[in-house]
Amino acid sequence: MIVAGGSPQPSFLLGSLKADCVTKPFLQRCQDLVRVIEDFPAKELHAIFPWLIETVFGSLDGSILGWNLRGLHERINPLEFHTALEFLDPSGAMMKLVYKLQAEEYKYDFPVSFLPSPVRASIQERVLPECPLYHNKIQFPASGGISFNLALNSFEYFMFHFAFCLLKQRSFPQGHYFSTADSAYYILVDKYLKWFLPAEGNVPPPHSPNTGGTVPLPAPRSPSISFASYGSHPSLLKRHISHQHLVNADPAAQEIWRTETLLQVFVEIWLHHYSLEMYQKMQSPNAKLEALHNRLSVSSATHVYPALPGSLHSYQELFQPTEEHVLVVRLLVKHLHTFSNSLRPEQVSPSTHSHTASPLEELKRVVVPRFIQQKLYIFLQHCFGHWPLDASFRAVLEMWLSYVQPWRYVLERSSPVSGEMQNRNVPEKWSTFVQENLLFYTKLFLRFLNRALRSDLVNPKNALMVFRAAKVFSQQNLPEMIQNGEQLFLKPEHVIPHRQHRLLLTPNLGGSFLSSWQPPITDTSLKVKSHVFSLEGQDCHYMQMFGTEARNLVLRLAQMISQAKQTAKSISNHSPDSSANQSFLSWFGLGSPDFNGSYNGGDLDEAGYDTIRKTDEHLEKALDYICQIFRLNPTQLGQLTANCDSSQDENGKNKLPDCIQSEDGLVLTSLGRYQIINGLRKFEVEYRGDPELQPIRSYENAMLVRYLFRLSSVLNERFAESMGTLCAREDFLGKVCRCHLTSCSRKGKKSPITSICPSEPTTPRIRLRFLASYRTLTLLFMFYILGPLLSLGPLSCTFLLLIGCMFYATVQTLLSEERKPHND
């Protein structure tokens, strides 16, 4: 155990703690760390802080795993789980260490190379990012070097590492898998959000363990501070916008600086991963000219830095978020809605709010549009465009639906709103939010619509996602709010200045978002246009959600839902419950085999046929919701359903894919291609040659097939004349011979190439290939095994088998004679 009385050198304290990591169990190590944090002064703790951060969260390059908070679950190791949560709690020992070091204004380097790619590329191009989080923190490399660092205080350093932990490769204990929501990391994110963004009350002040008072906040720095503080090359870093102060000029905003810092870190690390093109489009109007000027300034400087591998020119990385990443972002979105909705009613309106409102109340009013709206929109755009077409998209879908439903996260004290929401009625007061976030409702819905059109809606999880989206957008008043927002956007207006488009998005590069908050746009139409143009650019092509083009997509989706319902019903008919309807003789293989049969549900979800029945319910309700959203004509919907019903034959099996007749024959439509890709329909590929010469099947014995073919050929050659004479007779024996020696053993099916069934062979032939089937061999083996149990010898069994075959042949002949008049 380490005591503080001797005031050991920092290197000795660090060495002792490293040795304890090898020799002591986890619980004892945490207890020792708590005592060290309480007993030692900040000077000694300053030396161990970077090591402790790396020990807890792992190294940035992933070489050190750390405590593996994302893989730490209560069910696997409850002792370490609760110990880690207690140590990292917002009021725990780790935060006490953070506040103690912050009081002494120690700085720690965070490599720029581990920042999100667009930010890293911008800094390495000597272009200052617009987020205030990076201002006055960038450290230039030494002469000749290429590595940049951020000089962070202890709180910022802790939050950067905590947020970056989510981007590392996750490590699961071998043989275990648990929900993301049960991990220690997810729970800590929730704790930090509730602590630093409280829906009720204020952010608890940090307490200094030395004096018993609060930790002093960073003092506001002068706006006239020179760029020279960044390093020895003050001319290399240029600004985009004319407002040059880099600091928190508003003292009131200092009261919530921890809240702002936490939000900025989470949003930057988790969401700022869009492509270079999007990143450049979101810069200020003069960004390209400024960037060109910066490069000219760098090239004309006395010392020229070499080209950097991570520059804007060579930036080609594409960030792929994981499902866990999306779930944590959804937690952030939900909490921000709860935090924003806790604003007192008199503070909601920006034009009537009190000038004495606290900074926390001001933050609640602007937190969604100022902190998360822009980056979350691009993040969702990326996910909608790059996420695989599988069930894991459910995480992205729920994150999107959480953002577009802020009314779900209103505190329980608002009982009238809660009552309205129970009736699925969106209150009128949320129309402003819908208008200011119009693209989240319209463009992203159309992106989801396009994904749904490329998905297999028979899959239960895909059907559930369509049902969820349709249910949310069909809430009363919501379609009208969205349509009203589109009308405001399309309303003719005067040309909007470029700068006005950015009022809702970015601050004027002050140190605090609140200190740079500009007067809101009062004109509703201008506000909607500002939102759309600021996210998509003035040259964007806006596709109306309720326009003709989108309506055609909706009709296609409705048709595909109807087809998927029919397919689900067809698969359900193959369930074990319907086996009673099958022929008893078919179990023995005496029915006519269907080698080219339709899909039999072999690739169903592991939940089985009960889930298919549930899928039919989801599709039915989704279709109803879509009709409510877009006010589909019942006549149109009935026609779509009728078309789908007519695509089923009397046996409930699918017909050919959707085609159109052209000069070159049948051509697949886009609907037909969708049907083939998703296995809803298919062309029946049949063998139309000699049945005896068709390829050997997997259920046949290859050696027997070849041997029986040679035997059949010898018999047919030797007895051809005799078989022809028998088949020419007009009595019952002739009918039996014609039925089994000249009729095709399978029914020909129509194809898109020809509607003519294969002609029946006229030459009598003996076919013995059926004896090579493993099923036939198994039945024969069982028959001869059961014979001795009934006191029947081999000859008696053979005699009974011949009698049975003759009886079967007689019955088949009689049945074929009865059906013959109907086929004429």
Side-chain angles (χ1 to χ4, degrees):
M1 177 180 174
I2 303 173
V3 295
S7 296
Q9 294 295 325
S11 58
F12 175 77
L13 176 61
L14 180 59
S16 300
L17 293 175
K18 288 183 177 180
D20 290 345
C21 289
V22 179
T23 60
K24 293 184 178 181
F26 183 79
L27 177 60
Q28 188 174 352
R29 296 202 309 269
C30 288
Q31 292 174 346
D32 289 347
L33 285 172
V34 171
R35 285 190 287 268
V36 167
I37 292 171
E38 292 178 350
D39 296 342
F40 283 87
K43 183 177 180 181
E44 281 76 19
L45 297 176
H46 164 63
I48 70 167
F49 185 63
W51 167 84
L52 181 57
I53 290 292
E54 189 175 82
T55 301
V56 174
F57 301 122
S59 59
L60 294 173
D61 59 6
S63 59
I64 300 176
L65 182 62
W67 289 2
N68 190 23
L69 296 175
R70 293 162 56 200
L72 186 58
H73 292 79
E74 184 178 16
R75 293 176 57 187
I76 301 177
N77 197 328
L79 181 60
E80 291 190 8
F81 176 83
H82 290 289
T83 302
L85 287 184
E86 182 180 359
F87 184 79
L88 297 173
D89 189 84
S91 60
M94 189 66 167
M95 276 299 172
K96 292 180 181 178
L97 171 61
V98 169
Y99 297 143
K100 181 184 288 190
L101 295 174
Q102 184 183 329
E104 302 297 330
E105 298 186 359
Y106 287 113
K107 298 294 182 180
Y108 303 91
D109 290 339
F110 187 92
V112 169
S113 58
F114 289 101
L115 293 176
S117 298
V119 180
R120 179 178 70 244
S122 176
I123 294 176
Q124 292 176 338
E125 282 284 317
R126 280 70 174 182
V127 178
L128 185 65
E130 292 190 355
C131 179
L133 182 65
Y134 305 107
H135 299 169
N136 210 27
K137 296 183 176 67
I138 301 175
Q139 297 288 329
F140 276 96
S143 180
I146 61 173
S147 60
F148 290 77
N149 293 305
L150 296 180
L152 308 175
N153 63 38
S154 57
F155 183 82
E156 295 166 337
Y157 189 75
F158 174 86
M159 285 302 169
F160 263 92
H161 278 268
F162 178 77
F164 189 82
C165 186
L166 181 62
L167 306 185
K168 301 175 185 177
Q169 186 174 1
R170 186 175 181 179
S171 176
F172 280 109
Q174 189 174 3
H176 295 277
Y177 178 80
F178 295 99
S179 170
T180 297
D182 297 331
S183 69
Y185 185 83
Y186 189 92
I187 294 174
L188 283 172
V189 171
D190 187 51
K191 283 177 175 288
Y192 291 152
L193 290 174
K194 291 178 178 178
W195 182 273
F196 293 104
L197 287 87
E200 297 286 352
N202 297 318
V203 181
H207 293 281
S208 172
N210 295 329
T211 62
T214 60
V215 175
L217 299 173
R221 294 174 292 250
S222 171
S224 61
I225 187 170
S226 171
F227 282 102
S229 60
Y230 284 102
S232 58
H233 303 278
S235 63
L236 295 181
L237 195 59
K238 302 296 182 182
R239 301 301 305 273
H240 285 174
I241 301 178
S242 59
H243 301 82
Q244 297 295 327
H245 31 207
L246 306 173
V247 294
N248 296 338
D250 185 4
Q254 293 284 332
E255 298 178 15
I256 57 168
W257 70 270
R258 277 178 294 273
T259 301
E260 287 191 89
T261 299
L262 177 137
L263 278 179
Q264 291 176 25
V265 171
F266 284 1
V267 171
E268 284 294 307
I269 300 298
W270 294 345
L271 296 179
H272 200 166
H273 296 278
Y274 38 80
S275 65
L276 171 63
E277 291 76 13
M278 279 295 183
Y279 174 71
Q280 289 179 334
K281 183 164 60 177
M282 287 188 299
Q283 303 305 300
S284 59
N286 297 323
K288 294 183 178 180
L289 293 176
E290 290 287 347
L292 178 61
H293 175 72
N294 294 345
R295 284 191 285 271
L296 293 175
S297 299
V298 171
S299 61
S300 61
T302 304
H303 178 82
V304 179
Y305 282 86
L308 301 177
S311 64
L312 291 174
H313 305 290
S314 62
Y315 168 60
Q316 297 293 337
E317 299 179 31
L318 187 62
F319 178 76
Q320 297 291 350
T322 63
E323 188 174 353
E324 180 191 14
H325 186 158
V326 173
L327 291 174
V328 173
V329 173
R330 185 191 178 211
L331 176 64
L332 173 64
V333 169
K334 291 164 61 177
H335 189 84
L336 288 182
H337 276 322
T338 303
F339 178 70
S340 179
N341 292 338
S342 65
L343 184 65
R344 294 195 300 268
E346 63 271 14
Q347 300 291 341
V348 173
S349 175
S351 60
T352 60
H353 77 278
S354 173
H355 294 286
T356 60
S358 68
L360 189 63
E361 295 295 320
E362 282 291 308
L363 180 63
K364 291 179 180 180
R365 185 168 62 87
V366 303
V367 64
V368 172
R370 299 306 302 277
F371 280 88
I372 198 174
Q373 182 194 60
Q374 182 191 57
K375 292 183 174 62
L376 179 64
Y377 174 75
I378 306 300
F379 184 81
L380 284 171
Q381 283 275 40
H382 172 83
C383 291
F384 274 65
H386 296 84
W387 203 277
L389 287 172
D390 57 22
S392 65
F393 185 74
R394 176 74 185 276
V396 179
L397 174 73
E398 293 300 335
M399 175 178 63
W400 170 50
L401 296 181
S402 294
Y403 183 82
V404 299
Q405 296 183 93
W407 46 84
R408 289 184 54 196
Y409 308 103
V410 178
L411 297 179
E412 296 180 357
R413 64 188 179 188
S414 304
S415 55
V417 176
S418 299
E420 285 183 291
M421 291 316 301
Q422 290 177 357
N423 298 326
R424 302 189 69 247
N425 182 25
V426 181
E428 186 62 30
K429 71 173 186 176
W430 294 105
S431 60
T432 302
F433 180 88
V434 174
Q435 294 166 5
E436 294 178 355
N437 296 270
L438 183 63
L439 290 175
F440 284 89
Y441 293 91
T442 58
K443 185 168 183 178
L444 290 182
F445 181 85
L446 295 176
R447 295 291 298 271
F448 175 76
L449 192 63
N450 282 304
R451 285 185 63 93
L453 291 173
R454 303 195 309 271
S455 301
D456 179 12
L457 299 184
V458 182
N459 184 295
K461 296 179 179 178
N462 291 338
L464 177 60
M465 286 190 283
V466 174
F467 164 75
R468 287 281 299 122
K471 181 179 180 181
V472 168
F473 277 78
S474 67
Q475 297 176 85
Q476 295 181 24
N477 297 336
L478 183 57
E480 291 77 9
M481 292 179 183
I482 298 173
Q483 193 167 15
N484 182 53
E486 286 195 323
Q487 292 172 355
L488 290 172
F489 172 71
L490 299 173
K491 179 181 178 182
E493 286 287 348
H494 298 292
V495 179
I496 304 175
H498 289 263
R499 289 175 181 261
Q500 285 184 319
H501 295 321
R502 303 183 56 80
L503 290 179
L504 296 177
L505 294 174
T506 55
N508 59 6
L509 292 183
S512 168
F513 273 93
L514 292 183
S515 62
S516 61
W517 177 250
Q518 303 184 25
I521 301 175
T522 56
D523 182 79
T524 307
S525 177
L526 187 62
K527 185 184 298 184
V528 176
K529 293 175 184 290
S530 176
H531 159 70
V532 174
F533 291 142
S534 58
L535 292 179
E536 291 291 325
Q538 290 190 352
D539 298 330
C540 70
H541 171 69
Y542 182 79
M543 180 177 174
Q544 297 182 54
M545 179 175 170
F546 294 94
T548 303
E549 189 176 355
R551 189 177 183 85
N552 292 334
L553 293 177
V554 171
L555 290 176
R556 282 182 54 197
L557 178 63
Q559 185 177 9
M560 290 184 180
I561 290 176
S562 299
Q563 292 173 347
K565 286 174 54 184
Q566 294 294 340
T567 304
K569 290 179 180 178
S570 176
I571 296 175
S572 179
N573 292 336
H574 291 79
S575 66
D577 296 340
S578 62
S579 60
N581 299 327
Q582 298 178 1
S583 170
F584 173 76
L585 292 178
S586 65
W587 188 87
F588 295 96
L590 299 180
S592 59
D594 183 7
F595 298 109
N596 300 293
S598 62
Y599 170 66
N600 61 358
D603 61 345
L604 284 176
D605 184 76
E606 63 274 6
Y609 293 99
D610 291 337
T611 306
I612 288 294
R613 297 188 183 97
K614 191 69 175 177
T615 298
D616 185 63
E617 297 178 11
H618 285 152
L619 293 174
E620 180 71 29
K621 293 180 180 179
L623 196 56
D624 292 339
Y625 290 141
I626 290 175
C627 292
Q628 296 175 24
I629 298 170
F630 295 93
R631 305 180 187 90
L632 292 183
N633 190 337
T635 304
Q636 288 180 312
L637 185 62
Q639 183 64 35
L640 290 174
T641 306
N643 292 340
C644 293
D645 291 339
S646 64
S647 67
Q648 305 287 324
D649 59 23
E650 64 274 8
N651 295 324
K653 295 183 179 179
N654 289 331
K655 286 188 176 182
L656 301 176
D658 190 63
C659 302
I660 58 174
Q661 188 68 40
S662 67
E663 296 179 355
D664 300 327
L666 292 176
V667 178
L668 279 174
T669 64
S670 57
L671 175 60
R673 288 190 291 270
Y674 165 83
Q675 293 167 340
I676 291 179
I677 291 173
N678 292 283
L680 301 179
R681 296 189 189 180
K682 63 181 179 180
F683 289 116
E684 298 295 344
V685 180
E686 295 181 314
Y687 179 80
R688 294 184 174 272
D690 188 347
E692 294 296 304
L693 297 179
Q694 63 181 314
I696 298 176
R697 309 283 181 167
S698 60
Y699 52 79
E700 294 177 321
N701 185 285
M703 182 181 68
L704 282 179
V705 169
R706 297 185 180 96
Y707 173 77
L708 292 173
F709 174 74
R710 289 196 293 267
L711 178 61
S712 299
S713 300
V714 172
L715 294 176
N716 290 327
E717 183 178 354
R718 177 170 298 183
F719 300 106
E721 185 177 352
S722 300
M723 289 188 294
T725 303
L726 288 175
C727 291
R729 297 176 58 168
E730 296 297 330
D731 55 5
F732 184 75
L733 179 60
K735 295 179 180 179
V736 172
C737 292
R738 285 194 297 273
C739 178
H740 296 283
L741 295 179
T742 62
S743 297
C744 186
S745 62
R746 56 180 175 82
K747 296 182 180 180
K749 296 183 179 180
K750 295 181 180 180
S751 73
I753 306 302
T754 176
S755 60
I756 302 176
C757 292
S759 59
E760 296 183 353
T762 58
T763 303
R765 296 182 63 85
I766 296 175
R767 298 180 178 86
L768 302 177
R769 181 164 174 166
F770 72 96
L771 294 175
S773 170
Y774 288 117
R775 182 173 62 177
T776 303
L777 294 174
T778 301
L779 291 175
L780 289 174
F781 177 77
M782 292 175 60
F783 182 78
Y784 279 98
I785 289 294
L786 292 176
L789 299 179
L790 301 176
S791 302
L792 296 175
L795 293 178
S796 300
C797 290
T798 304
F799 179 75
L800 288 177
L801 184 63
L802 293 175
I803 294 295
C805 292
M806 293 176 61
F807 176 77
Y808 174 74
T810 302
V811 172
Q812 285 287 92
T813 302
L814 294 174
L815 293 176
S816 63
E817 288 297 318
E818 289 182 2
R819 289 194 297 264
K820 182 174 293 184
H822 301 285
N823 294 333
D824 293 339

